[in-house]
Amino acid sequence: DTAVSQTPKYLVTQMGNDKSIKCEQNLGHDTMYWYKQDSKKFLKIMFSYNNKELIINETVPNRFSPKSPDKAHLNLHINSLELGDSAVYFCASSQDRVLAELRETQYFGPGTRLLVL
Amino acid sequence: QKEVEQNSGPLSVPEGAIASLNCTYSDRVSQSFFWYRQYSGKSPELIMSIYSNGDKEDGRFTAQLNKASQYVSLLIRDSQPSDSATYLCAVATPGNTPLVFGKGTRLSVIA
């Protein structure tokens, strides 16, 4: 039933480890996103994919690598985790990438709470 | 750089009062405006969208848009303790861009 789902919900790991977060949407949307929300609640865009193609790649360390095997899935792999990576990571999706023109918006997954020790 | 500004709060209102949340945006060509509600430990949930100048009402919520002043607001009538959350303003601009979010206003409705 869940429109946008993420796994895992919680992730506690040691510095230096490599971890992955998975996202799936069953809305039939073409565009998916990764956001990072820090302790001050600011939602910052990291990446966006449209039909498996990377279209937005913000200033993010290259330890972060997104991958979209198909348009319903978007994964995020993080190498060499650092303390500053601790945050909530939200996946989102939208029908299309041109949000303003089509009056579309984004729908969020439940988030993955990452804690790096 | 596109910016969306909100007062971080907390905004405290008594139960039954009107809560007024404000948002300004920097990009004049912005076309779509959204309010999301985020409860602590949960994900942002869309509650209102507005595209044209004026007011749009949905139950206890009214969104107001003034493109000339680059200003969006959300009014919550008959505020309830269950409305206590962080409210995020988000703006869409033409082109291949994601929503730009403000930092959110924390609302506390006191019983």
Side-chain angles (χ1 to χ4, degrees):
Chain A
D1 247 354
T2 308
V4 184
S5 58
Q6 293 179 232
T7 53
K9 196 169 179 182
Y10 299 96
L11 189 49
V12 181
T13 188
Q14 299 286 332
M15 265 175 51
N17 283 350
D18 303 338
K19 290 292 178 187
S20 291
I21 307 171
K22 294 179 186 290
C23 178
E24 177 180 0
Q25 54 94 4
N26 62 7
L27 296 166
H29 287 171
D30 285 345
T31 309
M32 296 183 74
Y33 311 82
W34 279 115
Y35 282 87
K36 180 180 179 181
Q37 188 172 47
D38 58 26
S39 56
K40 294 184 180 175
K41 300 294 188 187
F42 183 49
L43 267 171
K44 185 173 160 48
I45 184 71
M46 299 173 71
F47 302 102
S48 176
Y49 271 76
N50 187 71
N51 264 321
K52 303 192 296 176
E53 179 192 353
L54 180 65
I55 56 171
I56 291 170
N57 185 352
E58 292 293 311
T59 309
V60 174
N62 58 14
R63 298 181 295 103
F64 290 79
S65 50
K67 238 177 219 166
S68 182
D70 56 61
K71 73 173 194 177
H73 296 84
L74 179 61
N75 303 324
L76 183 65
H77 187 75
I78 315 170
N79 287 325
S80 304
L81 278 154
E82 300 178 357
L83 295 177
D85 298 332
S86 296
V88 182
Y89 292 84
F90 285 104
C91 177
S93 73
S94 61
Q95 183 63 58
D96 197 277
R97 57 181 167 177
V98 284
L99 299 174
E101 291 88 333
L102 298 178
R103 294 189 170 184
E104 291 289 334
T105 192
Q106 294 169 193
Y107 298 90
F108 285 82
T112 295
R113 281 140 191 87
L114 172 64
L115 178 61
V116 183
L117 302 174
Chain B
Q1 182 155 352
K2 299 167 192 173
E3 289 183 349
V4 176
E5 300 283 345
Q6 296 180 255
N7 283 328
S8 59
L11 171 66
S12 294
V13 300
E15 184 175 358
I18 296 175
S20 177
L21 304 159
N22 304 315
C23 170
T24 58
Y25 58 95
S26 63
D27 195 338
R28 286 202 163 272
V29 300
S30 299
Q31 290 185 351
S32 303
F33 307 87
F34 306 94
W35 284 99
Y36 285 78
R37 177 177 62 202
Q38 186 175 22
Y39 291 114
S40 182
K42 300 293 185 184
S43 60
E45 170 196 13
L46 178 70
I47 55 170
M48 287 289 285
S49 58
I50 187 166
Y51 309 104
S52 307
N53 282 329
D55 294 0
K56 179 181 176 184
E57 189 175 317
D58 183 1
R60 294 187 297 112
F61 298 100
T62 299
Q64 299 174 316
L65 174 61
N66 183 328
K67 288 187 179 180
S69 302
Q70 294 175 233
Y71 176 88
V72 194
S73 66
L74 179 70
L75 300 177
I76 307 175
R77 286 182 301 282
D78 188 24
S79 295
Q80 301 297 309
S82 59
D83 295 325
S84 298
T86 296
Y87 289 80
L88 300 166
C89 175
V91 172
T93 54
N96 188 15
T97 56
L99 294 182
V100 179
F101 284 85
K103 293 187 179 181
T105 298
R106 191 155 60 89
L107 172 67
S108 178
V109 180
I110 302 165

